Amino acid sequence: MNFERRKVINRDGIIEELNIEKIREKLERACEGLEVNMVELESKIDSIYEENITTQKIQASLINSAVAMTTFEESDWSYVAGRLLMMEAEREVYHARGFSYNDFPKMIKKMIELGLYDNRLATYTDEELQELASFIVVDRDMVYDYAGANMLVNRYLIRYDGKSYELPQEVFMAISMMLSLNEEKVKTSNNKKSRIEIAKEFYDALSLRKLSLATPILANLRIPNGNLSSCFITAIDDNIESIFYNIDSIAKISKNGGGVGVNVSRIRAKGSMVNGYYNASGGVVPWIRIINDTAVAVNQQGRRAGAVTVALDTWHLDIETFLELQTENGDQRGKAYDIYPQVVCSNLFMKRVKNNETWTLVDPYEVRKIYGVELCELYGYEFEELYEKIEKDNNIKIKKVLNAKDLFKSIMKTQLETGMPYIFYKDRANEMNHNSHMGMIGNGNLCMESFSNFKPTVDFIEDENGNTSIRKSEMGEIHTCNLISMNLAELTQEEIEKYVALAVRALDNTIDLTVTPLKESNKHNLLYRTVGVGAMGLADYLAREYMIYEESVNEIDELFERIAIYAIKASALLSKERGSYKAFKGSKWDQGLFFGKTNEWYQKNSKFKDEWNEAFYLVQAHGLRNGELTAIAPNTSTSLLMGSTASVIPTFSRFFIEKNQRGATPRTVKHLKDRAWFYPEFKNVNPITYVKIMAKIGSWVSQGVSMELLFDLNKDIKAKDIYDTLITAWEEGCKSVYYIRTIQKNTNNIADKEECESCSG
């Protein structure tokens, strides 16, 4: 190979000779243990003829070459590109701050001094920092393919003065130190571990990619005043004070990187009465447009626009105009293209749809005025009894009767056109609500997997005290949840219990480490201590075990039953150590009703009788630390970091090149080389079978499952097929439906919309 004495410019701006030996050493490290021919990449250097090229450009050229060489047959080149990118990141950090991985204590102190790290990390002593430094395994940087390395380096490493200022393993250790802040400083008994021991457990879980943190935790946990919660749901009451109070709340949540759910079903309909005048109300759409503009204006720390899902019950008189919020036809003054619509469906509505019966749309203000109740706060028998009474009441002046199936068809039509609205099966969620003694669940969150009780702040009063104005209100509750996901692609059967327990502990610790943007959110956090342990990499897990997705219903069912048991046991043991959540007394957990079933049922029907016995005993003896335990997020982005398939859905494709404005990124499944055919692609999985699998998983999840649906319009897909899938989801007990994605005719392109990353953990 002809490497003439070429001149290059190093990072310090000094011209020097190209050191081919150094480059060869890097290539050898990048290619070690992979099925690639290093000479092929080395030969690319010969094509770099630019005079006085920078060493940084040479490295970038090699990375791009490795990316371009990635194919289905030679997918390991993606790992070569990832390793080269990690090495380049390490070199950038070295030049930015003067040292690399060799002085962890110095790095922690420097980051605190610059205001980049939380001051609470300064409570660790020099001896503790030295011990923690000894746990860091630098070679764990080398496990990432290009997609994962690119995301970690360019999105999550803290930058200072425009340059990367920390390294991946330092990130994982700093986060682990934060997660362990409130643990015991020293070992007090044989059963209790010190915070250093627990920090090491957290570090190993994160750096070995056994556990995946949701974006707010991964991005914010080590920085000062970082919000750690992913999901928030609030409700707007039917008055101007509540509307603009919630606009302010949405802005604060968006500013801090959270995804927001907003229930607008209490707001009076278009044409309703205002101050005694009929036809004075503009309905929900004008307020939704303000929410839409707020989400755009208050971006998430400059990274992206805020993300809000707005929910409306199907009985609301404005439901038809609500369905047109994002369609291309119609008056543009009634559009809101930057929010994510969600329809709330009761069992009664779904029965009427199935039976092809009529459905009545009503105004919540008129119902409240005549009956003194909020219709959206009712569910089950109580809702059905009142709703059927309202339908027959001639005193209800503002109503519209239509065919329930026609309304459902309108929902489906909009879904095919825009991917939304999401669907929230309200009764299904509330039937499984372990904290129904404290309230009800009105709708789902932004990714449709996290939900619990919430209610609006009401009764706003403004008092004066000299020149000071004091606003008082009766504080409501904002659903708040912190998320983490187990990476099933990296976990063996024997490891699952250990890492479920570690995930529960980590999330419970985050509740005490964060102050959320709103008082109602803090109230909810302390009342319910809601956490969401999820899962990703199910498709990888099944492929590793030589199982086919559609043929493994029982195995998947048993896997998530075990996860449910382990989460309950872990939270009960935490309760023994720290005390139960405040609302535990009177909950279904307290009553011995887990996932709608008694221990007697489990003893007769479950394969895991002894494990359930232990779980029921621990909760009876010690209570439960967390009111909600599990939630399965979409993990669309963070699954790239984990090198796994997203969430619990089948893979969209075994191998493809993702192209966007930033370039091309190879995407490949973990076991492509030896188990490719154990990865059925999503478009080839029967939707009905898929929905039944999601229902099985969801029956063991205390919150919900972010369930996407995919329909390939190149196949003989009829409207009835989509209808049957959605009806089956409701009948099987699914609590929600996330995106409806379609592969357009004569293409392989999936109709898509950018989504929130707050839940992607």
PDB file of all heavy atoms in Angstrom, residues 496-497 500-501 504 531 533 560-574 589 595 615 619 624-626 628-630 700 702:
ATOM      1  N   ILE A 496     -33.162 -12.430  35.248  1.00  0.00           N
ATOM      2  CA  ILE A 496     -34.307 -11.525  35.178  1.00  0.00           C
ATOM      3  C   ILE A 496     -34.751 -11.042  36.559  1.00  0.00           C
ATOM      4  O   ILE A 496     -34.982  -9.841  36.764  1.00  0.00           O
ATOM      5  CB  ILE A 496     -35.473 -12.186  34.410  1.00  0.00           C
ATOM      6  CG1 ILE A 496     -35.096 -12.322  32.929  1.00  0.00           C
ATOM      7  CG2 ILE A 496     -36.754 -11.361  34.550  1.00  0.00           C
ATOM      8  CD1 ILE A 496     -36.093 -13.085  32.083  1.00  0.00           C
ATOM      9  N   GLU A 497     -34.856 -11.935  37.528  1.00  0.00           N
ATOM     10  CA  GLU A 497     -35.322 -11.521  38.855  1.00  0.00           C
ATOM     11  C   GLU A 497     -34.389 -10.481  39.467  1.00  0.00           C
ATOM     12  O   GLU A 497     -34.838  -9.466  40.024  1.00  0.00           O
ATOM     13  CB  GLU A 497     -35.450 -12.725  39.790  1.00  0.00           C
ATOM     14  CG  GLU A 497     -35.971 -12.334  41.171  1.00  0.00           C
ATOM     15  CD  GLU A 497     -36.372 -13.520  42.029  1.00  0.00           C
ATOM     16  OE1 GLU A 497     -36.038 -14.669  41.664  1.00  0.00           O
ATOM     17  OE2 GLU A 497     -37.025 -13.290  43.066  1.00  0.00           O
ATOM     18  N   VAL A 500     -34.913  -7.075  37.619  1.00  0.00           N
ATOM     19  CA  VAL A 500     -36.206  -6.457  37.935  1.00  0.00           C
ATOM     20  C   VAL A 500     -36.104  -5.747  39.286  1.00  0.00           C
ATOM     21  O   VAL A 500     -36.529  -4.595  39.433  1.00  0.00           O
ATOM     22  CB  VAL A 500     -37.339  -7.498  37.950  1.00  0.00           C
ATOM     23  CG1 VAL A 500     -38.616  -6.885  38.537  1.00  0.00           C
ATOM     24  CG2 VAL A 500     -37.623  -8.019  36.554  1.00  0.00           C
ATOM     25  N   ALA A 501     -35.526  -6.435  40.266  1.00  0.00           N
ATOM     26  CA  ALA A 501     -35.372  -5.848  41.606  1.00  0.00           C
ATOM     27  C   ALA A 501     -34.490  -4.605  41.563  1.00  0.00           C
ATOM     28  O   ALA A 501     -34.787  -3.584  42.208  1.00  0.00           O
ATOM     29  CB  ALA A 501     -34.778  -6.885  42.559  1.00  0.00           C
ATOM     30  N   VAL A 504     -36.512  -1.702  39.999  1.00  0.00           N
ATOM     31  CA  VAL A 504     -37.477  -1.128  40.944  1.00  0.00           C
ATOM     32  C   VAL A 504     -36.756  -0.221  41.940  1.00  0.00           C
ATOM     33  O   VAL A 504     -37.212   0.891  42.236  1.00  0.00           O
ATOM     34  CB  VAL A 504     -38.261  -2.238  41.677  1.00  0.00           C
ATOM     35  CG1 VAL A 504     -39.104  -1.651  42.808  1.00  0.00           C
ATOM     36  CG2 VAL A 504     -39.154  -2.997  40.705  1.00  0.00           C
ATOM     37  N   VAL A 531     -43.859   3.887  39.517  1.00  0.00           N
ATOM     38  CA  VAL A 531     -42.695   3.565  38.691  1.00  0.00           C
ATOM     39  C   VAL A 531     -43.144   2.655  37.551  1.00  0.00           C
ATOM     40  O   VAL A 531     -44.177   1.994  37.630  1.00  0.00           O
ATOM     41  CB  VAL A 531     -41.563   2.893  39.500  1.00  0.00           C
ATOM     42  CG1 VAL A 531     -41.092   3.798  40.630  1.00  0.00           C
ATOM     43  CG2 VAL A 531     -41.982   1.535  40.044  1.00  0.00           C
ATOM     44  N   VAL A 533     -41.375  -0.202  35.319  1.00  0.00           N
ATOM     45  CA  VAL A 533     -40.346  -1.107  34.802  1.00  0.00           C
ATOM     46  C   VAL A 533     -40.881  -1.711  33.507  1.00  0.00           C
ATOM     47  O   VAL A 533     -41.957  -2.303  33.491  1.00  0.00           O
ATOM     48  CB  VAL A 533     -40.011  -2.226  35.811  1.00  0.00           C
ATOM     49  CG1 VAL A 533     -38.985  -3.190  35.217  1.00  0.00           C
ATOM     50  CG2 VAL A 533     -39.491  -1.638  37.113  1.00  0.00           C
ATOM     51  N   PHE A 560     -43.718 -12.692  31.187  1.00  0.00           N
ATOM     52  CA  PHE A 560     -44.192 -11.450  31.799  1.00  0.00           C
ATOM     53  C   PHE A 560     -44.949 -11.695  33.099  1.00  0.00           C
ATOM     54  O   PHE A 560     -45.026 -10.790  33.944  1.00  0.00           O
ATOM     55  CB  PHE A 560     -44.992 -10.641  30.777  1.00  0.00           C
ATOM     56  CG  PHE A 560     -44.092  -9.966  29.788  1.00  0.00           C
ATOM     57  CD1 PHE A 560     -43.743 -10.590  28.597  1.00  0.00           C
ATOM     58  CD2 PHE A 560     -43.532  -8.735  30.077  1.00  0.00           C
ATOM     59  CE1 PHE A 560     -42.863  -9.989  27.706  1.00  0.00           C
ATOM     60  CE2 PHE A 560     -42.658  -8.129  29.197  1.00  0.00           C
ATOM     61  CZ  PHE A 560     -42.312  -8.750  28.000  1.00  0.00           C
ATOM     62  N   GLU A 561     -45.475 -12.885  33.286  1.00  0.00           N
ATOM     63  CA  GLU A 561     -46.023 -13.227  34.606  1.00  0.00           C
ATOM     64  C   GLU A 561     -44.899 -13.253  35.635  1.00  0.00           C
ATOM     65  O   GLU A 561     -45.042 -12.726  36.744  1.00  0.00           O
ATOM     66  CB  GLU A 561     -46.735 -14.588  34.556  1.00  0.00           C
ATOM     67  CG  GLU A 561     -47.362 -14.964  35.899  1.00  0.00           C
ATOM     68  CD  GLU A 561     -48.087 -16.306  35.874  1.00  0.00           C
ATOM     69  OE1 GLU A 561     -48.119 -16.950  34.799  1.00  0.00           O
ATOM     70  OE2 GLU A 561     -48.609 -16.709  36.935  1.00  0.00           O
ATOM     71  N   ARG A 562     -43.779 -13.832  35.272  1.00  0.00           N
ATOM     72  CA  ARG A 562     -42.623 -13.863  36.182  1.00  0.00           C
ATOM     73  C   ARG A 562     -42.129 -12.456  36.504  1.00  0.00           C
ATOM     74  O   ARG A 562     -41.828 -12.130  37.656  1.00  0.00           O
ATOM     75  CB  ARG A 562     -41.482 -14.680  35.575  1.00  0.00           C
ATOM     76  CG  ARG A 562     -41.708 -16.189  35.579  1.00  0.00           C
ATOM     77  CD  ARG A 562     -40.660 -16.894  34.738  1.00  0.00           C
ATOM     78  NE  ARG A 562     -39.312 -16.548  35.151  1.00  0.00           N
ATOM     79  CZ  ARG A 562     -38.269 -16.450  34.326  1.00  0.00           C
ATOM     80  NH1 ARG A 562     -38.434 -16.670  33.038  1.00  0.00           N
ATOM     81  NH2 ARG A 562     -37.081 -16.145  34.786  1.00  0.00           N
ATOM     82  N   ILE A 563     -42.052 -11.601  35.476  1.00  0.00           N
ATOM     83  CA  ILE A 563     -41.618 -10.219  35.690  1.00  0.00           C
ATOM     84  C   ILE A 563     -42.556  -9.512  36.670  1.00  0.00           C
ATOM     85  O   ILE A 563     -42.110  -8.774  37.559  1.00  0.00           O
ATOM     86  CB  ILE A 563     -41.536  -9.470  34.346  1.00  0.00           C
ATOM     87  CG1 ILE A 563     -40.368 -10.012  33.510  1.00  0.00           C
ATOM     88  CG2 ILE A 563     -41.388  -7.964  34.563  1.00  0.00           C
ATOM     89  CD1 ILE A 563     -40.334  -9.509  32.081  1.00  0.00           C
ATOM     90  N   ALA A 564     -43.870  -9.762  36.534  1.00  0.00           N
ATOM     91  CA  ALA A 564     -44.851  -9.167  37.455  1.00  0.00           C
ATOM     92  C   ALA A 564     -44.597  -9.624  38.887  1.00  0.00           C
ATOM     93  O   ALA A 564     -44.610  -8.810  39.826  1.00  0.00           O
ATOM     94  CB  ALA A 564     -46.265  -9.542  37.014  1.00  0.00           C
ATOM     95  N   ILE A 565     -44.368 -10.912  39.064  1.00  0.00           N
ATOM     96  CA  ILE A 565     -44.097 -11.453  40.405  1.00  0.00           C
ATOM     97  C   ILE A 565     -42.848 -10.799  40.992  1.00  0.00           C
ATOM     98  O   ILE A 565     -42.841 -10.358  42.151  1.00  0.00           O
ATOM     99  CB  ILE A 565     -43.909 -12.986  40.345  1.00  0.00           C
ATOM    100  CG1 ILE A 565     -45.189 -13.686  39.902  1.00  0.00           C
ATOM    101  CG2 ILE A 565     -43.460 -13.517  41.713  1.00  0.00           C
ATOM    102  CD1 ILE A 565     -45.005 -15.169  39.572  1.00  0.00           C
ATOM    103  N   TYR A 566     -41.779 -10.739  40.200  1.00  0.00           N
ATOM    104  CA  TYR A 566     -40.509 -10.198  40.695  1.00  0.00           C
ATOM    105  C   TYR A 566     -40.644  -8.719  41.062  1.00  0.00           C
ATOM    106  O   TYR A 566     -40.047  -8.260  42.049  1.00  0.00           O
ATOM    107  CB  TYR A 566     -39.409 -10.371  39.645  1.00  0.00           C
ATOM    108  CG  TYR A 566     -39.142 -11.801  39.240  1.00  0.00           C
ATOM    109  CD1 TYR A 566     -38.667 -12.103  37.966  1.00  0.00           C
ATOM    110  CD2 TYR A 566     -39.371 -12.857  40.125  1.00  0.00           C
ATOM    111  CE1 TYR A 566     -38.419 -13.422  37.580  1.00  0.00           C
ATOM    112  CE2 TYR A 566     -39.131 -14.167  39.751  1.00  0.00           C
ATOM    113  CZ  TYR A 566     -38.656 -14.447  38.471  1.00  0.00           C
ATOM    114  OH  TYR A 566     -38.418 -15.752  38.090  1.00  0.00           O
ATOM    115  N   ALA A 567     -41.429  -7.959  40.286  1.00  0.00           N
ATOM    116  CA  ALA A 567     -41.610  -6.535  40.576  1.00  0.00           C
ATOM    117  C   ALA A 567     -42.363  -6.348  41.893  1.00  0.00           C
ATOM    118  O   ALA A 567     -42.006  -5.479  42.706  1.00  0.00           O
ATOM    119  CB  ALA A 567     -42.356  -5.855  39.432  1.00  0.00           C
ATOM    120  N   ILE A 568     -43.397  -7.162  42.118  1.00  0.00           N
ATOM    121  CA  ILE A 568     -44.159  -7.078  43.371  1.00  0.00           C
ATOM    122  C   ILE A 568     -43.263  -7.422  44.555  1.00  0.00           C
ATOM    123  O   ILE A 568     -43.244  -6.712  45.570  1.00  0.00           O
ATOM    124  CB  ILE A 568     -45.382  -8.018  43.323  1.00  0.00           C
ATOM    125  CG1 ILE A 568     -46.393  -7.534  42.277  1.00  0.00           C
ATOM    126  CG2 ILE A 568     -46.050  -8.106  44.698  1.00  0.00           C
ATOM    127  CD1 ILE A 568     -47.483  -8.547  41.953  1.00  0.00           C
ATOM    128  N   LYS A 569     -42.522  -8.509  44.437  1.00  0.00           N
ATOM    129  CA  LYS A 569     -41.628  -8.921  45.534  1.00  0.00           C
ATOM    130  C   LYS A 569     -40.589  -7.841  45.840  1.00  0.00           C
ATOM    131  O   LYS A 569     -40.324  -7.518  47.005  1.00  0.00           O
ATOM    132  CB  LYS A 569     -40.935 -10.241  45.179  1.00  0.00           C
ATOM    133  CG  LYS A 569     -41.854 -11.459  45.261  1.00  0.00           C
ATOM    134  CD  LYS A 569     -41.241 -12.690  44.618  1.00  0.00           C
ATOM    135  CE  LYS A 569     -39.950 -13.117  45.258  1.00  0.00           C
ATOM    136  NZ  LYS A 569     -39.414 -14.365  44.639  1.00  0.00           N
ATOM    137  N   ALA A 570     -40.002  -7.268  44.793  1.00  0.00           N
ATOM    138  CA  ALA A 570     -38.970  -6.245  44.982  1.00  0.00           C
ATOM    139  C   ALA A 570     -39.544  -5.020  45.684  1.00  0.00           C
ATOM    140  O   ALA A 570     -38.923  -4.462  46.605  1.00  0.00           O
ATOM    141  CB  ALA A 570     -38.374  -5.847  43.633  1.00  0.00           C
ATOM    142  N   SER A 571     -40.748  -4.589  45.271  1.00  0.00           N
ATOM    143  CA  SER A 571     -41.360  -3.413  45.875  1.00  0.00           C
ATOM    144  C   SER A 571     -41.795  -3.688  47.315  1.00  0.00           C
ATOM    145  O   SER A 571     -41.710  -2.806  48.178  1.00  0.00           O
ATOM    146  CB  SER A 571     -42.558  -2.967  45.035  1.00  0.00           C
ATOM    147  OG  SER A 571     -43.054  -1.727  45.488  1.00  0.00           O
ATOM    148  N   ALA A 572     -42.248  -4.905  47.579  1.00  0.00           N
ATOM    149  CA  ALA A 572     -42.634  -5.276  48.954  1.00  0.00           C
ATOM    150  C   ALA A 572     -41.410  -5.281  49.877  1.00  0.00           C
ATOM    151  O   ALA A 572     -41.488  -4.824  51.026  1.00  0.00           O
ATOM    152  CB  ALA A 572     -43.312  -6.638  48.958  1.00  0.00           C
ATOM    153  N   LEU A 573     -40.283  -5.781  49.383  1.00  0.00           N
ATOM    154  CA  LEU A 573     -39.055  -5.784  50.195  1.00  0.00           C
ATOM    155  C   LEU A 573     -38.543  -4.362  50.411  1.00  0.00           C
ATOM    156  O   LEU A 573     -38.010  -4.043  51.478  1.00  0.00           O
ATOM    157  CB  LEU A 573     -37.990  -6.655  49.531  1.00  0.00           C
ATOM    158  CG  LEU A 573     -38.284  -8.167  49.566  1.00  0.00           C
ATOM    159  CD1 LEU A 573     -37.309  -8.939  48.700  1.00  0.00           C
ATOM    160  CD2 LEU A 573     -38.253  -8.692  51.004  1.00  0.00           C
ATOM    161  N   LEU A 574     -38.713  -3.498  49.401  1.00  0.00           N
ATOM    162  CA  LEU A 574     -38.371  -2.080  49.590  1.00  0.00           C
ATOM    163  C   LEU A 574     -39.292  -1.446  50.623  1.00  0.00           C
ATOM    164  O   LEU A 574     -38.872  -0.587  51.405  1.00  0.00           O
ATOM    165  CB  LEU A 574     -38.491  -1.326  48.268  1.00  0.00           C
ATOM    166  CG  LEU A 574     -37.246  -1.191  47.390  1.00  0.00           C
ATOM    167  CD1 LEU A 574     -37.555  -0.301  46.187  1.00  0.00           C
ATOM    168  CD2 LEU A 574     -36.069  -0.630  48.162  1.00  0.00           C
ATOM    169  N   TRP A 589     -53.955  -3.823  46.072  1.00  0.00           N
ATOM    170  CA  TRP A 589     -52.777  -4.537  46.602  1.00  0.00           C
ATOM    171  C   TRP A 589     -53.023  -4.907  48.062  1.00  0.00           C
ATOM    172  O   TRP A 589     -52.757  -6.042  48.481  1.00  0.00           O
ATOM    173  CB  TRP A 589     -51.540  -3.636  46.522  1.00  0.00           C
ATOM    174  CG  TRP A 589     -51.109  -3.134  45.181  1.00  0.00           C
ATOM    175  CD1 TRP A 589     -51.089  -1.837  44.760  1.00  0.00           C
ATOM    176  CD2 TRP A 589     -50.608  -3.915  44.081  1.00  0.00           C
ATOM    177  NE1 TRP A 589     -50.612  -1.751  43.478  1.00  0.00           N
ATOM    178  CE2 TRP A 589     -50.302  -3.011  43.039  1.00  0.00           C
ATOM    179  CE3 TRP A 589     -50.378  -5.280  43.883  1.00  0.00           C
ATOM    180  CZ2 TRP A 589     -49.778  -3.414  41.805  1.00  0.00           C
ATOM    181  CZ3 TRP A 589     -49.864  -5.697  42.659  1.00  0.00           C
ATOM    182  CH2 TRP A 589     -49.572  -4.778  41.644  1.00  0.00           C
ATOM    183  N   PHE A 595     -53.688  -7.792  39.910  1.00  0.00           N
ATOM    184  CA  PHE A 595     -54.080  -7.913  38.500  1.00  0.00           C
ATOM    185  C   PHE A 595     -55.477  -8.530  38.367  1.00  0.00           C
ATOM    186  O   PHE A 595     -55.741  -9.328  37.484  1.00  0.00           O
ATOM    187  CB  PHE A 595     -53.051  -8.720  37.708  1.00  0.00           C
ATOM    188  CG  PHE A 595     -51.665  -8.142  37.773  1.00  0.00           C
ATOM    189  CD1 PHE A 595     -50.699  -8.681  38.614  1.00  0.00           C
ATOM    190  CD2 PHE A 595     -51.331  -7.035  37.008  1.00  0.00           C
ATOM    191  CE1 PHE A 595     -49.435  -8.132  38.689  1.00  0.00           C
ATOM    192  CE2 PHE A 595     -50.060  -6.485  37.073  1.00  0.00           C
ATOM    193  CZ  PHE A 595     -49.099  -7.032  37.919  1.00  0.00           C
ATOM    194  N   ALA A 615     -45.134 -13.678  46.983  1.00  0.00           N
ATOM    195  CA  ALA A 615     -45.461 -12.288  46.672  1.00  0.00           C
ATOM    196  C   ALA A 615     -46.630 -11.797  47.534  1.00  0.00           C
ATOM    197  O   ALA A 615     -46.581 -10.695  48.104  1.00  0.00           O
ATOM    198  CB  ALA A 615     -45.797 -12.142  45.190  1.00  0.00           C
ATOM    199  N   VAL A 619     -46.404  -8.787  50.505  1.00  0.00           N
ATOM    200  CA  VAL A 619     -47.246  -7.581  50.480  1.00  0.00           C
ATOM    201  C   VAL A 619     -48.120  -7.503  51.722  1.00  0.00           C
ATOM    202  O   VAL A 619     -48.296  -6.429  52.317  1.00  0.00           O
ATOM    203  CB  VAL A 619     -48.108  -7.547  49.197  1.00  0.00           C
ATOM    204  CG1 VAL A 619     -49.106  -6.387  49.236  1.00  0.00           C
ATOM    205  CG2 VAL A 619     -47.221  -7.427  47.963  1.00  0.00           C
ATOM    206  N   LEU A 624     -46.493  -2.307  50.146  1.00  0.00           N
ATOM    207  CA  LEU A 624     -45.859  -2.144  48.834  1.00  0.00           C
ATOM    208  C   LEU A 624     -45.292  -0.732  48.757  1.00  0.00           C
ATOM    209  O   LEU A 624     -45.922   0.223  49.189  1.00  0.00           O
ATOM    210  CB  LEU A 624     -46.887  -2.375  47.717  1.00  0.00           C
ATOM    211  CG  LEU A 624     -46.367  -2.891  46.376  1.00  0.00           C
ATOM    212  CD1 LEU A 624     -45.744  -4.271  46.519  1.00  0.00           C
ATOM    213  CD2 LEU A 624     -47.481  -2.932  45.338  1.00  0.00           C
ATOM    214  N   ARG A 625     -44.106  -0.610  48.228  1.00  0.00           N
ATOM    215  CA  ARG A 625     -43.440   0.689  48.154  1.00  0.00           C
ATOM    216  C   ARG A 625     -43.992   1.555  47.025  1.00  0.00           C
ATOM    217  O   ARG A 625     -43.994   2.776  47.121  1.00  0.00           O
ATOM    218  CB  ARG A 625     -41.935   0.465  47.947  1.00  0.00           C
ATOM    219  CG  ARG A 625     -41.096   1.732  47.853  1.00  0.00           C
ATOM    220  CD  ARG A 625     -41.102   2.508  49.145  1.00  0.00           C
ATOM    221  NE  ARG A 625     -40.176   3.634  49.112  1.00  0.00           N
ATOM    222  CZ  ARG A 625     -40.155   4.598  50.021  1.00  0.00           C
ATOM    223  NH1 ARG A 625     -41.008   4.570  51.040  1.00  0.00           N
ATOM    224  NH2 ARG A 625     -39.278   5.579  49.941  1.00  0.00           N
ATOM    225  N   ASN A 626     -44.485   0.906  45.963  1.00  0.00           N
ATOM    226  CA  ASN A 626     -44.876   1.639  44.748  1.00  0.00           C
ATOM    227  C   ASN A 626     -46.285   1.263  44.309  1.00  0.00           C
ATOM    228  O   ASN A 626     -46.594   0.082  44.160  1.00  0.00           O
ATOM    229  CB  ASN A 626     -43.890   1.344  43.626  1.00  0.00           C
ATOM    230  CG  ASN A 626     -42.442   1.503  44.083  1.00  0.00           C
ATOM    231  OD1 ASN A 626     -41.779   0.528  44.416  1.00  0.00           O
ATOM    232  ND2 ASN A 626     -41.968   2.735  44.146  1.00  0.00           N
ATOM    233  N   GLU A 628     -47.798   1.792  41.419  1.00  0.00           N
ATOM    234  CA  GLU A 628     -47.752   1.184  40.088  1.00  0.00           C
ATOM    235  C   GLU A 628     -46.325   0.698  39.871  1.00  0.00           C
ATOM    236  O   GLU A 628     -45.368   1.336  40.310  1.00  0.00           O
ATOM    237  CB  GLU A 628     -48.138   2.178  38.996  1.00  0.00           C
ATOM    238  CG  GLU A 628     -49.512   2.796  39.149  1.00  0.00           C
ATOM    239  CD  GLU A 628     -50.637   1.808  38.920  1.00  0.00           C
ATOM    240  OE1 GLU A 628     -50.372   0.703  38.420  1.00  0.00           O
ATOM    241  OE2 GLU A 628     -51.796   2.146  39.243  1.00  0.00           O
ATOM    242  N   LEU A 629     -46.174  -0.421  39.158  1.00  0.00           N
ATOM    243  CA  LEU A 629     -44.861  -1.056  39.081  1.00  0.00           C
ATOM    244  C   LEU A 629     -44.300  -1.194  37.674  1.00  0.00           C
ATOM    245  O   LEU A 629     -43.089  -1.100  37.480  1.00  0.00           O
ATOM    246  CB  LEU A 629     -44.941  -2.459  39.712  1.00  0.00           C
ATOM    247  CG  LEU A 629     -45.222  -2.499  41.213  1.00  0.00           C
ATOM    248  CD1 LEU A 629     -45.590  -3.911  41.643  1.00  0.00           C
ATOM    249  CD2 LEU A 629     -44.008  -2.008  41.987  1.00  0.00           C
ATOM    250  N   THR A 630     -45.155  -1.447  36.710  1.00  0.00           N
ATOM    251  CA  THR A 630     -44.648  -1.793  35.378  1.00  0.00           C
ATOM    252  C   THR A 630     -45.369  -1.001  34.289  1.00  0.00           C
ATOM    253  O   THR A 630     -46.550  -0.676  34.409  1.00  0.00           O
ATOM    254  CB  THR A 630     -44.811  -3.300  35.106  1.00  0.00           C
ATOM    255  OG1 THR A 630     -46.115  -3.729  35.546  1.00  0.00           O
ATOM    256  CG2 THR A 630     -43.765  -4.109  35.841  1.00  0.00           C
ATOM    257  N   TRP A 700     -50.264  -8.600  32.693  1.00  0.00           N
ATOM    258  CA  TRP A 700     -49.289  -8.661  33.785  1.00  0.00           C
ATOM    259  C   TRP A 700     -48.607  -7.314  34.025  1.00  0.00           C
ATOM    260  O   TRP A 700     -47.642  -7.229  34.789  1.00  0.00           O
ATOM    261  CB  TRP A 700     -48.229  -9.725  33.497  1.00  0.00           C
ATOM    262  CG  TRP A 700     -48.795 -11.088  33.280  1.00  0.00           C
ATOM    263  CD1 TRP A 700     -48.749 -11.843  32.152  1.00  0.00           C
ATOM    264  CD2 TRP A 700     -49.512 -11.872  34.246  1.00  0.00           C
ATOM    265  NE1 TRP A 700     -49.398 -13.030  32.335  1.00  0.00           N
ATOM    266  CE2 TRP A 700     -49.875 -13.086  33.622  1.00  0.00           C
ATOM    267  CE3 TRP A 700     -49.889 -11.661  35.575  1.00  0.00           C
ATOM    268  CZ2 TRP A 700     -50.584 -14.085  34.276  1.00  0.00           C
ATOM    269  CZ3 TRP A 700     -50.604 -12.657  36.234  1.00  0.00           C
ATOM    270  CH2 TRP A 700     -50.939 -13.849  35.578  1.00  0.00           C
ATOM    271  N   SER A 702     -48.974  -3.443  35.338  1.00  0.00           N
ATOM    272  CA  SER A 702     -49.888  -2.678  36.191  1.00  0.00           C
ATOM    273  C   SER A 702     -50.358  -1.391  35.514  1.00  0.00           C
ATOM    274  O   SER A 702     -51.436  -0.895  35.817  1.00  0.00           O
ATOM    275  CB  SER A 702     -49.227  -2.358  37.537  1.00  0.00           C
ATOM    276  OG  SER A 702     -48.189  -1.420  37.393  1.00  0.00           O
TER     277      SER A 702
END
